[in-house]
């Protein structure tokens, strides 16, 4: 059992705090960033998502969704379904943000919450779709929850576009 340790795969520490299939496969999917390797990344994510019930730590699920967002959004211009999947995983990550924030604050009481990729990416997507009011709603939600980021600047930028 590698729980509590970074996992060394092919000489690269992927820095996981647990050794579940979803955690490992979600992290490994991020290694496949080129267009020619995207189907490999997709397969790792699909396997991780099939096993997500085995995740006992809500932050691990948060980071799995982050891997999905980053992977699918990266390939949005070459894969017709990737854009919608990225948007869907943003919403899934946002839906668990309260529990994740509580756990992170408990585990790291002296640290600010990190940037929340789901909120950030969704506000970018909504802005590009011309849905500034909705983007403002999510930026305010992220700010109010205490997630790090340039939320006030985003809100002002989106308001100017209204």
């Amino acid at each position: 059992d590698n729980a509590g340790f970074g996992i060394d795969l092919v000489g690269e520490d992927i820095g996981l705090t647990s050794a579940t299939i979803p955690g490992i496969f979600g992290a490994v999917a991020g290694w496949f960033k080129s267009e020619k390797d995207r189907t490999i990344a997709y397969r790792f994510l699909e396997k991780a998502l099939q096993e997500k019930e085995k995740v006992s730590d809500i932050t691990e699920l948060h980071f799995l969704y982050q891997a999905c967002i980053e992977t699918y959004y990266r390939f949005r211009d070459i894969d017709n379904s990737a854009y919608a999947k990225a948007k869907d995983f943003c919403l899934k990550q946002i839906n668990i943000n309260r529990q994740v924030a509580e756990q992170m604050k408990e585990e790291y009481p002296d640290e600010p919450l990190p940037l929340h990729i789901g909120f950030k990416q969704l506000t970018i997507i909504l802005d590009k779709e011309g849905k500034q009011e909705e983007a403002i709603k999510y930026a305010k939600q992220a700010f109010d929850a205490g997630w790090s980021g340039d939320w006030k600047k985003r809100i002002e930028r989106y308001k100017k576009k209204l």
Side-chain angles (χ1 to χ4, degrees):
D1 180 16
N2 288 320
F5 300 98
I7 296 173
D8 185 350
L9 296 174
V10 197
E12 185 172 338
D13 182 355
I14 58 176
L16 296 174
T17 57
S18 66
T20 65
I21 294 292
I24 294 168
F25 282 24
V28 171
W31 294 350
F32 300 96
K33 296 182 187 218
S34 72
E35 183 178 338
K36 69 179 178 57
D37 292 336
R38 75 182 161 85
T39 58
I40 298 169
Y42 290 176
R43 286 194 301 266
F44 273 104
L45 291 176
E46 287 165 12
K47 181 63 176 169
L49 291 164
Q50 288 170 5
E51 301 283 330
K52 77 177 185 195
E53 313 80 47
K54 295 179 182 172
V55 172
S56 59
D57 183 339
I58 194 79
T59 58
E60 189 173 352
L61 186 59
H62 166 88
F63 288 116
L64 172 57
Y65 289 158
Q66 181 171 319
C68 293
I69 294 164
E70 291 170 342
T71 300
Y72 287 116
Y73 193 75
R74 179 181 305 120
F75 299 119
R76 69 194 178 282
D77 294 330
I78 57 171
D79 177 348
N80 294 335
S81 67
Y83 181 82
K85 286 181 181 179
K87 195 171 176 180
D88 183 53
F89 282 110
C90 287
L91 292 168
K92 286 180 184 207
Q93 192 184 45
I94 288 167
N95 286 338
I96 62 170
N97 93 87
R98 285 190 186 102
Q99 301 100 299
V100 173
E102 285 175 21
Q103 185 170 331
M104 286 182 171
K105 287 175 185 175
E106 227 174 82
E107 289 181 27
Y108 308 100
D110 299 328
E111 298 292 323
L113 291 174
L115 176 66
H116 192 287
I117 298 300
F119 277 118
K120 181 180 179 186
Q121 194 63 65
L122 186 62
T123 60
I124 291 168
I125 288 169
L126 293 169
D127 179 42
K128 288 181 178 184
E129 291 178 354
K131 298 176 181 174
Q132 282 73 32
E133 287 182 17
E134 206 174 336
I136 290 167
K137 178 186 92 169
Y138 282 105
K140 283 181 178 178
Q141 191 178 339
F143 178 79
D144 291 344
W147 294 101
S148 294
D150 60 347
W151 304 115
K152 286 183 176 182
K153 287 181 183 177
R154 284 181 185 283
I155 291 166
E156 290 309 310
R157 192 165 61 240
Y158 302 150
K159 282 182 178 178
K160 288 178 184 176
K161 291 182 176 184
L162 290 175

